Amino acid sequence: MVLCVSELATNALVHGVPPGRGFLVRLLPCGDGVRVEVHDSGDGVPAVPQTDVREPGEGGRGLLLVSELADKWGVGERAPGKIVWCEVGIT
């Protein structure tokens, strides 16, 4: 879950926060787990990259990691911006 929070928050900082704006991270109970929400005011819709992630470089793997580690993830609407979320079960 910590890695999912880190990746979603980093994506918000790098891609979703226009200058002078902030973002919000929320952790909410969700069934037998936790829902992580990151609210930002940027444009665009995040997606898992369709390219070969074995290519060298430091970026482009965050949402791939979230999609593999979380039980579910998605993007919701917010005015302005979006909410990127994931749900992680606690066992």
Side-chain angles (χ1 to χ4, degrees):
M1 178 176 48
V2 171
L3 183 58
C4 289
V5 171
S6 174
E7 292 298 338
L8 295 180
T10 299
N11 281 351
L13 279 170
V14 173
H15 304 292
V17 180
R21 299 267 178 114
F23 69 98
L24 171 70
V25 176
R26 295 178 65 191
L27 303 175
L28 306 165
C30 178
D32 291 333
V34 175
R35 179 179 173 106
V36 177
E37 294 182 352
V38 177
H39 300 234
D40 69 52
S41 56
D43 295 333
V45 178
V48 174
Q50 300 300 314
T51 61
D52 187 351
V53 295
R54 293 175 293 184
E55 293 176 11
E58 293 184 19
R61 295 175 185 84
L63 282 180
L64 178 62
L65 291 171
V66 171
S67 71
E68 292 296 319
L69 294 172
D71 297 319
K72 295 190 274 186
W73 80 277
V75 181
E77 293 183 14
R78 179 178 183 270
K82 63 195 163 294
I83 302 167
V84 184
W85 59 271
C86 70
E87 294 177 0
V88 179
I90 304 294
T91 56

